[in-house]
Amino acid sequence: KNQVEQSPQSLIILEGKNCTLQCNYTVSPFSNLRWYKQDTGRGPVSLTIMTFSENTKSNGRYTATLDADTKQSSLHITASQLSDSASYICVVSDMEYGNKLVFGAGTILRVKS
Amino acid sequence: DAGVIQSPRHEVTEMGQEVTLRCKPISGHDYLFWYRQTMMRGLELLIYFNNNVPIDDSGMPEDRFSAKMPNASFSTLKIQPSEPRDSAVYFCASSLDTSGANVLTFGAGSRLTVL
């Protein structure tokens, strides 16, 4: 069964610190990998989309990396802010099933002052 | 564009009652998706439409759930009769297509509580 697993499940960091969230997947073949940010009480919002041929993509203080050989991705947040507190969801597009999106369970990040 | 618009934002109902959730996708988006999110199972795809036609409804839990898209700017998800285990946040999302670079845009969600 195709899976997307994220770690850690939750994370607490101090404002201003950096952090890295991990995503391991078994979906194959895949067409793209996405990271979404979901604030409490809101819908997920896209941060980055990477195709299988891309290694890194940045969106402000967010940088996503992808290693298609090891089937791993990471989301690095630099100089965290209180507004970064949210759930971060890794999503892989399953090419074999018409690009059906396979969602990870998410990492809950809390940034403390 | 105002994005994907969902209503109601919150719904509290009693077991056995009918629930109707509504969605207005982004204009020009050909694909519309209904997802359900719970703590236990995360985000699950229920059904999606392409040009108002249901393409894949394999995620619909059972016959109590039904979805329609009568036109390009409106869709409904109906649960009848509702049960406590249906309590979740239901998201509607839309996209231009399902290609690799396409962004899926979510609405703010409808939080359903069935007592």
Side-chain angles (χ1 to χ4, degrees), chain A residues 42-61:
Chain A
R42 309 290 291 270
V45 175
S46 179
L47 291 176
T48 64
I49 299 177
M50 290 184 291
T51 66
F52 63 88
S53 61
E54 294 179 289
N55 299 119
T56 184
K57 182 161 281 189
S58 293
N59 178 0
R61 294 180 296 102

Side-chain angles (χ1 to χ4, degrees), chain B residues 92-107:
Chain B
C92 176
S94 70
S95 67
L96 283 170
D97 55 45
T98 59
S99 67
N102 186 48
V103 174
L104 186 65
T105 303
F106 286 83

Side-chain angles (χ1 to χ4, degrees), chain B residues 15-84:
Chain B
M15 183 174 64
Q17 296 298 306
E18 177 180 300
V19 173
T20 299
L21 309 178
R22 299 172 177 81
C23 174
K24 176 179 167 53
I26 291 175
S27 178
H29 280 193
D30 291 334
Y31 287 81
L32 182 141
F33 304 79
W34 281 101
Y35 287 90
R36 177 171 67 177
Q37 185 176 40
T38 61
M39 288 293 291
M40 291 296 295
R41 301 172 69 93
L43 274 160
E44 302 174 283
L45 177 65
L46 299 177
I47 185 172
Y48 80 92
F49 296 82
N50 176 213
N51 291 324
N52 314 337
V53 177
I55 302 301
D56 182 356
D57 65 354
S58 59
M60 296 287 262
E62 48 199 273
D63 292 344
R64 297 184 298 106
F65 285 69
S66 63
K68 294 182 179 180
M69 192 165 186
N71 57 63
S73 60
F74 183 67
S75 177
T76 61
L77 178 67
K78 185 176 292 186
I79 308 172
Q80 183 186 15
S82 59
E83 297 182 3

